[in-house]
Amino acid sequence: MNHLRSELERYAFSEEEKEQLKERLGTGMENRKKGRPRNIQRGIVALVAVCSLLVGAAGAVSLVHVSPQFRAFFGIETAEQAKQVAPRAIHQVYEDPNGTGVTLTVEEVLMDEQTLYVFLELAAPEGIGLPALPEQGQRADYWLPVEWGFYADEANTQYADQWSAVSGGCRSLPDADPLDNRLPLVCTITRSGGTFTAEANYLRLTTGGNGDSVEDSLRGYNASEGGWTDEVLSGFHFDLTIPLEGSRIESHVFTGRSMVNLGGVCPVLLENLTLSPLSMTMDLILPDDEGYLAQLDAQREKETDWGIYARLWDGTRVAGHFDPNYSIQIYRDENSQEKNTLLAVHPTRVFWESPIDPLEVADLVFVGDNDPPEERADGGVGHMVYFRFEPDRFQNTAYWTAREERQGAVQEQKNGATAVSQVSSAP
């Protein structure tokens, strides 16, 4: 019985799937009233079978709710990884009111403390294929300009102030069938210097023909001009209100700071650390001189690599990759005759190669700074210089307490298993 109950607890349903489940179970109850009583355990087995009909084969139950694009974007390969970042499934199709035949489907929504992700699919009218563009490497082939606003209510009357959202837009994702009329997109909106407010319950997303600041077209990247200048599809207009409730994943926000030597060559002050299953964000404070600016530019262009990884308690190493997009704020003391300038780079974001459980993080390792030799993948000489992921440097009582309790429970489980093993092996 217990193993069946555990199997059921692995399933998570959207509201639509819950209604389907109720309907199928209701039909089953009506049929059961007409026949003889059924064994309770058989009933649970039947319920598991119904669940399988709704969500697919066992072993992939937690993956079926997310699109292949979502899984690929976040590096999700297992059901355990999917549990950390389960999105809100929308699956709502919107038709262009201008009559162009263009449709926009909102698939999934996910957000952490500082970034919102909306996964979409844009479809051109039937018979109009979107052109295949030259391979751009890591650069998105298509760009869809948008405007956005956050609201507390669905009618968009109570504005949830998000003035610090400094970047946003819809870019294309790798397309399994580049010659059809459909294009997968991800709209990313990032906060800087703060977190999303609790009142941000709805996103109003507008594209096409809504004032001079938004271009009413899908644009393709032109390598020779270095931008998304080629108009591919135009004339459409969408004004959507997307619910965000149920899309938030837990993030851990820390106060405090530490020096860190990025790449072993770029010492900076790191503060405003945020850790989530998807990423880690931070602000970097550094002097304004040519050497540091060159390091920033080299990192942006991937000429250098500020290596970082999360080392989990079980020894697993999950690599992180710095996002080349960030904002720079310059602070100058105008009353000083000497050059007195600081650069604030925020938010600097590291994306994990696959989702992690933040409570399983034993250490955050910056290659070239706090990487001891035994942690180096290349066997090189490590350093213990500045950075420490410790409670006295990064304060968050709830996080450190929960992590300690998690480790205590794991140790108790190991001790119990050892005791059982010793008893069973005794003569």
Side-chain angles (χ1 to χ4, degrees):
M1 177 75 71
N2 289 336
H3 79 277
L4 290 172
R5 188 176 303 279
S6 299
E7 184 72 13
L8 286 175
E9 289 174 352
R10 298 172 55 200
Y11 292 82
F13 301 100
S14 67
E15 291 303 318
E16 180 181 357
E17 289 167 337
K18 287 178 182 178
E19 291 302 319
Q20 294 179 29
L21 181 57
K22 290 178 183 179
E23 180 179 349
R24 296 191 189 191
L25 291 178
T27 302
M29 288 294 293
E30 289 297 323
N31 292 337
R32 182 163 40 172
K33 291 177 182 178
K34 299 176 182 178
R36 58 188 177 89
R38 298 178 60 188
N39 178 277
I40 294 178
Q41 182 157 324
R42 289 185 179 177
I44 296 178
V45 174
L47 177 56
V48 172
V50 173
C51 293
S52 298
L53 287 174
L54 289 176
V55 300
V61 294
S62 297
L63 298 177
V64 75
H65 295 289
V66 296
S67 65
Q69 289 80 16
F70 183 97
R71 298 199 297 268
F73 186 82
F74 291 119
I76 297 174
E77 297 179 351
T78 68
E80 187 64 29
Q81 292 171 343
K83 283 170 55 179
Q84 302 297 327
V85 290
R88 171 168 182 160
I90 304 293
H91 304 307
Q92 181 64 50
V93 181
Y94 298 88
E95 296 182 358
D96 174 25
N98 290 351
T100 61
V102 177
T103 63
L104 191 64
T105 303
V106 181
E107 296 288 359
E108 296 121 345
V109 181
L110 183 74
M111 63 190 302
D112 59 15
E113 292 287 342
Q114 292 182 305
T115 302
L116 167 68
Y117 306 91
V118 183
F119 289 81
L120 311 136
E121 183 183 75
L122 184 141
E126 289 295 334
I128 299 179
L130 298 177
L133 299 180
E135 177 62 40
Q136 302 297 333
Q138 298 296 320
R139 194 183 303 276
D141 293 337
Y142 292 96
W143 181 261
L144 181 66
V146 294
E147 285 185 341
W148 62 84
F150 292 88
Y151 295 86
D153 63 321
E154 188 173 7
N156 302 154
T157 61
Q158 302 174 35
Y159 187 68
D161 187 6
Q162 299 291 343
W163 290 112
S164 295
V166 295
S167 62
C170 290
R171 60 186 177 91
S172 62
L173 294 171
D175 193 357
D177 187 357
L179 299 180
D180 65 4
N181 68 325
R182 298 178 178 275
L183 182 68
L185 302 164
V186 59
C187 180
T188 307
I189 302 172
T190 300
R191 285 268 287 165
S192 174
T195 59
F196 288 113
T197 64
E199 292 75 25
N201 297 321
Y202 293 90
L203 170 71
R204 183 175 180 180
L205 192 67
T206 306
T207 178
N210 188 38
D212 296 335
S213 60
V214 173
E215 304 171 60
D216 59 344
S217 62
L218 175 69
R219 298 189 165 269
Y221 187 78
N222 188 313
S224 62
E225 298 186 20
W228 289 272
T229 58
D230 295 343
E231 186 176 277
V232 177
L233 197 63
S234 63
F236 55 83
H237 168 70
F238 294 97
D239 191 348
L240 317 176
T241 297
I242 303 171
L244 303 180
E245 183 180 1
S247 67
R248 299 192 184 218
I249 58 175
E250 183 179 9
S251 298
H252 304 275
V253 180
F254 300 86
T255 58
R257 55 183 58 87
S258 173
M259 289 294 293
V260 62
N261 197 25
L262 296 175
V265 295
C266 188
V268 299
L269 180 65
L270 183 155
E271 61 181 10
N272 297 329
L273 179 67
T274 299
L275 183 62
S276 87
L278 296 174
S279 64
M280 181 177 76
T281 62
M282 69 206 83
D283 288 344
L284 303 178
I285 310 299
L286 57 159
D288 177 20
D289 63 27
E290 294 182 359
Y292 282 94
L293 291 174
Q295 284 289 326
L296 290 172
D297 290 341
Q299 174 63 23
R300 186 192 296 268
E301 298 301 323
K302 300 187 181 301
E303 296 173 358
T304 62
D305 180 22
W306 293 344
I308 181 175
Y309 60 88
R311 180 170 59 83
L312 308 185
W313 286 110
D314 64 1
T316 302
R317 294 166 40 148
V318 182
H321 305 284
F322 278 84
D323 185 356
N325 300 309
Y326 45 75
S327 63
I328 296 179
Q329 193 168 359
I330 300 177
Y331 299 90
R332 288 192 175 93
D333 184 356
E334 297 180 355
N335 297 323
S336 174
Q337 295 182 355
E338 299 180 0
K339 182 179 180 181
N340 187 8
T341 305
L342 287 177
L343 278 178
V345 184
H346 49 207
T348 304
R349 178 171 293 263
V350 171
F351 289 103
W352 304 123
E353 64 178 351
S354 60
I356 65 173
D357 182 345
L359 296 181
E360 294 293 325
V361 173
D363 200 7
L364 299 171
V365 180
F366 289 85
V367 177
D369 181 276
N370 66 326
D371 55 325
E374 62 271 17
E375 295 295 334
R376 290 292 295 266
D378 58 4
V381 178
H383 302 275
M384 296 293 290
V385 183
Y386 296 125
F387 186 83
R388 300 287 191 280
F389 184 53
E390 298 174 342
D392 60 337
R393 295 203 180 194
F394 297 99
Q395 293 84 42
N396 180 328
T397 302
Y399 172 82
W400 295 111
T401 300
R403 196 180 81 155
E404 183 177 357
E405 291 176 349
R406 170 76 65 83
Q407 293 310 307
V410 171
Q411 189 59 47
E412 286 183 8
Q413 187 177 16
K414 289 181 178 179
N415 293 341
T418 301
V420 171
S421 175
Q422 291 174 345
V423 171
S424 62
S425 61

